[in-house]
Amino acid sequence: MPSPSHASPRSRRKVPADPPSPSGAVETGRIASRPLDALLETAGLTRSPRSKSGGSVSPARVQDKLPEELRAAEPRTAIAASGVQWIPVPAWQKRKWLWHGFSTRRGGVTTCYAPDGAPGELNLTFAPHDERENVLRNRGLFAEAITGSAETPLVTVRQIHSSVLVVAGTSDRACKADGLITDRPGILIGVQTADCTPVLLADRKRKVVAAFHAGWRGTVRRIVENGIGRMRLEFGSKPEDLIAAVGPGIGACCYQVGEELLSEFESQFVYGRELFHEVYDSDPVKAKYPMLFLTRRAPGHSPIGPGLHLDVAEANRRQLLDAGLKAEAIQMVGGCTSCHGELFFSHRGSKGHAGRMLNVIGIRS
């Protein structure tokens, strides 16, 4: 996932309090407002009382956190007979009509992203570093793990970090989009990730499924909310009939971003600021022996912080709720692609040299 610029150190400054009002200023203001109150009363309106003068409301403060407080637990995996390791949604396994799964990097035949001598890995995207034959073999192994057949058609798109959606058929066309929806049985639809957050959706009543690639750009453009709207338009899906799973992506523990993203999210969501945390890096040695690291440097020359971190998974959970899904219908799979680098490919964690996972859903034939 293309990563926004890292946050510059954020200076902390105290905002001076307003000077006290001269004696009698409040009462004068009340007298001056009486003609306005009378005018509003003739129209059947009343002026809303304010608890303090000015009426300005300071924004909620971004919460301070340590990385450990935000780190998600590693999800439980399943292992296919071929050795492919993947992540099912436990609450969905009883739905026999539904195929689904989030891949990991374990299993497969790709070696270009692994250390020398390591076993093959499950890269599922066509990239210059990997042989096409390897990717095709990996895709067959993954499809077999999910559906029982390596021949199950897999439909993907050319992802462009957008909110563009397509209704998928049976052809694997190079369509540019970041979301797929289908009601056709016998195929898998999927989105590729290596830090971005995947979201899978299923309509329990009408048997319609969807997969969304939700990086920060797709998230701020409301790809999940738009996708649910498209499901309602095309297939008559009702939010109360939908179930969702938010898959592994880079977690708030590791996803440091710039101030411009805070502005982007605040402009789109009333809860935008709640998706961000000020994260202080923790060092167990410094925490245990703080006196060893004291310096005589003037303020401004010592290391300062914190970094601003974004929780993309939570942003998409909030979109699902706003779209009408019940809280209990949303499964948070967990796992941070950067923290758990031995389990997942991570674009940021590997500085761009990474394969891709596939996150798939389908309707059993």
Side-chain angles (χ1 to χ4, degrees):
M1 169 165 67
S3 57
S5 60
H6 285 237
S8 58
R10 308 181 68 217
S11 60
R12 294 178 174 275
R13 57 182 181 180
K14 293 184 179 179
V15 179
D18 293 333
S21 301
S23 177
V26 174
E27 183 61 33
T28 302
R30 287 175 182 167
I31 294 171
S33 67
R34 285 173 185 169
L36 176 60
D37 290 339
L39 180 62
L40 291 172
E41 188 175 354
T42 61
L45 304 173
T46 58
R47 188 163 53 91
S48 175
R50 291 176 177 172
S51 58
K52 58 175 69 177
S53 61
S56 60
V57 179
S58 59
R61 186 174 177 275
V62 175
Q63 291 185 340
D64 292 344
K65 294 285 186 179
L66 292 174
E68 303 84 67
E69 298 178 87
L70 297 171
R71 191 162 293 140
E74 183 174 310
R76 301 183 68 174
T77 61
I79 303 177
S82 62
V84 166
Q85 199 162 343
W86 59 286
I87 302 167
V89 181
W92 289 11
Q93 291 183 294
K94 63 183 179 181
R95 303 185 185 279
K96 301 303 181 183
W97 64 273
L98 184 64
W99 288 328
H100 76 280
F102 302 91
S103 78
T104 70
R105 68 186 300 170
R106 294 177 180 167
V109 297
T110 294
T111 58
C112 61
Y113 302 112
D116 292 341
E121 296 185 314
L122 195 68
N123 170 46
L124 295 166
T125 191
F126 298 104
H129 301 104
D130 203 359
E131 299 291 336
R132 183 176 179 83
E133 292 74 18
N134 288 343
V135 179
L136 290 172
R137 174 64 177 151
N138 288 341
R139 288 189 170 199
L141 290 170
F142 184 49
E144 184 177 25
I146 301 297
T147 70
S149 171
E151 304 303 318
T152 304
L154 174 61
V155 182
T156 59
V157 289
R158 290 178 57 191
Q159 295 167 190
I160 54 175
H161 295 276
S162 68
S163 60
V164 178
L165 307 158
V166 297
V167 176
T170 56
S171 62
D172 193 357
R173 296 178 298 124
C175 180
K176 292 182 179 180
D178 286 275
L180 301 101
I181 306 169
T182 192
D183 65 347
R184 297 197 179 191
I187 66 171
L188 287 173
I189 58 174
V191 291
Q192 303 170 48
T193 57
D195 275 339
C196 293
T197 299
V199 181
L200 304 180
L201 273 150
D203 185 331
R204 300 176 292 112
K205 298 282 183 68
R206 290 162 182 80
K207 291 187 171 55
V208 180
V209 296
F212 305 120
H213 166 245
W216 77 261
R217 290 181 177 85
T219 299
V220 83
R221 293 182 175 97
R222 302 175 182 268
I223 186 169
V224 167
E225 287 186 87
N226 292 341
I228 293 172
R230 185 74 177 272
M231 291 174 74
R232 297 181 71 172
L233 179 66
E234 299 278 351
F235 302 101
S237 295
K238 297 178 181 179
E240 59 266 27
D241 296 333
L242 299 179
I243 53 176
V246 180
I250 190 168
C253 48
C254 297
Y255 193 31
Q256 185 172 348
V257 300
E259 292 275 358
E260 68 277 7
L261 260 68
L262 177 59
S263 299
E264 288 252 17
F265 277 81
E266 282 192 305
S267 71
Q268 292 297 317
F269 308 102
V270 294
Y271 53 82
R273 183 167 285 261
E274 299 171 24
L275 304 173
F276 291 81
H277 304 278
E278 289 183 334
V279 176
Y280 292 84
D281 289 332
S282 62
D283 186 324
V285 177
K286 290 183 179 181
K288 189 173 182 179
Y289 306 105
M291 300 298 290
L292 296 178
F293 298 91
L294 292 178
T295 71
R296 298 180 64 184
R297 286 181 288 182
H301 295 276
S302 297
I304 58 176
L308 189 65
H309 287 220
L310 170 61
D311 191 338
V312 182
E314 174 63 13
N316 284 282
R317 189 187 74 88
R318 297 288 289 265
Q319 283 194 41
L320 290 164
L321 292 172
D322 282 354
L325 271 74
K326 300 174 182 177
E328 59 270 23
I330 304 170
Q331 306 296 318
M332 304 298 288
V333 172
C336 171
T337 50
S338 183
C339 285
H340 306 133
E342 74 292 341
L343 184 62
F344 302 112
F345 292 114
S346 172
H347 179 87
R348 178 173 285 207
S350 62
K351 297 179 172 58
H353 184 68
R356 296 292 185 273
M357 283 87 68
L358 259 175
N359 313 276
V360 299
I361 192 167
I363 304 163
R364 190 183 298 273
S365 298

